[in-house]
Amino acid sequence: MPGTLRLPAPLFAELAAGGGSGRAVAFLERGERARRLLLLRTLLTRIEDVTTPLTPAGEAWRVLTEAAGRAPEPVERLIQAPTTGAWIAHLLRRTHGTADGPALWVETARLNTLAVVAALHAGMEVSLRVALEDGALHLPGLGLARLPGGAAGPSAGTARTRAGELTLTGPGRDGGHATLTCRPAPVPVDAAPPADDARWLPLRTLRAGSAAVPLEDLDPYRDLGEPLPPARLDADEATAWQRMFDRAVAILAAADTTRPGRLDPAVIRSVVPWARTGLLPPPPPEVRVSASSGDAYGAMIISRPSEPLALAEALVHEFQHSKLAALLHLFPLVRDDRAERYYAPWRPDPRHLTGLLHGAYAFTGVAGFWRDRMSEPEHAGTAAYHFALRRTQSRLVVRTLRNSGRLSRTGQALVSGLARTLDAWLREPVPPAALARARTAAALHRTEWRLRNVAAPVRSGPGRHPVPSDDGTGHLRLRPDRTTWPDLRTHVLAVPPVRPRTPDEHLAAGDPATALDGYAAGLERQPGDPHLLAGWIVARAALRPGRDARRTLARPELLLRVAGPRVTASRAADVPNRG
């Protein structure tokens, strides 16, 4: 390990702008490696006294380090794999008493398994006691070995390696012993055997140019929380992933990957398919779920969409999170008290400052992704809308961060770099219709967010003095009854409908008068519904722009102060706009 990591100023400037060249990303990877080794060293001291029926941790570590000397590249990949980082972080939380899981010896046994895999890569001859689950041993980066007739539940087995071959022995269901011999290796999705051997499930990989990206459906540490059992994809579903990934990679192809919104898919460490394991039911066009963790650099949990453009956007989005997490591991960027009280235009709930910074960084990359698509005829229409929406929302959050007073000096430099990128983009022309829909979508989200999350001012006491929407320090007073809610409008407004039917669609079509009537009718049936009321406020502001409209958009919860929780459109129209 190097004694000191120093990030050159030009590389920091690239990252602060929301992008990052191959050199900048390589530096972040060096930082993640150093952090990973420090955490691993800490973990070794925490688990050395754990009572276990397995080979002691010290012996497993000796095998691992010897293998690293013989086969440095594959062992480096093993140590830096996202699931290795997730395991280390999870086990450290367990030793601190802040996480749960199976028996502690079972989880510490991952070190022994890593040593087995390293020995396979190095062609070494070793024998280690390992933990089995239902007679199976997961080999990180390779696949899953399953003993025929293996005993149910956790048990101890023996893994022997020689010249890249594994012999696994463990207790059987009948009280005897079961044995399996195989030569573990991952396989590309399109080269996988038509039917998986019940004894050996290889890890499948997605092509990304000359690189292979694991399609991770086996590793117990592939998720963000506690260990999970395997969720093997059907062969057809894995093939569908490869087809969709191919098309997403083609969209992302660019000679210069330095600019925000661009991504070399070869830097992705793994794609974790979420929820579905088969072709049915058909997937939606958009990515419904995507997530990542700072403990698992380069990994992305994604629900497969039916549109490659949506997958390409999700890949960019999640790698932005990985880059920022790596920067947060190198520099203190924000003094966060973790209070969830800030507006994030892409979330239904209030966020803390670190979450807000992550959102600003990720969606600056997303804005850059859509900016590139504006020059592509097949995507230009929706791209202009998404670019206009995300640049506006990201700039709003950047302003919140700069005004928080809680950024470090390095954090201020990072956020200032984002601001320069976004300010330049805000000066770029966007077709008027797309710009209008983007501004409407932004206003709708913020208005509904405040109606659902911000406590309405009330009058109390003998003089009935108003209690404002903030707590006196500039922070919002939040409703105790707030719940999560779906953002139904961002995608509705992306494309103007040919035959609008709902009030939202009439707004998207540029007809606020018809939309206003529709929202009013809905509020008569469902008084106080935040979704309908937000639409009514925005449509009315479009028809009657001016000071009163701006005040209501700024603090829509004032309507609830006067008219009460069952406010209707007819009553809201008479509410005075007092600040």
Side-chain angles (χ1 to χ4, degrees), residues 332-338 353 405-409 412:
L333 299 179
V334 60
R335 299 180 296 276
D336 192 357
D337 60 8
R338 309 299 288 184
L353 282 171
R406 302 189 70 86
L407 294 174
S408 69
R409 187 172 179 180
Q412 290 172 353

Side-chain angles (χ1 to χ4, degrees), residues 176-258:
H177 284 82
T179 300
L180 164 70
T181 298
C182 61
R183 188 170 289 276
V187 295
V189 164
D190 53 8
D196 293 318
D197 188 330
R199 299 168 301 169
W200 172 245
L201 290 179
L203 174 69
R204 292 174 295 204
T205 59
L206 301 168
R207 293 186 312 273
S210 60
V213 177
L215 183 61
E216 186 57 80
D217 56 1
L218 297 173
D219 198 299
Y221 296 96
R222 65 190 183 276
D223 198 44
L224 304 182
E226 297 176 6
L228 295 176
R232 187 64 165 177
L233 300 184
D234 295 345
D236 289 342
E237 176 67 9
T239 300
W241 262 104
Q242 182 63 75
R243 285 197 301 266
M244 197 59 54
F245 194 73
D246 284 343
R247 295 169 68 188
V249 167
I251 291 171
L252 292 170
D256 177 14
T257 58
T258 303

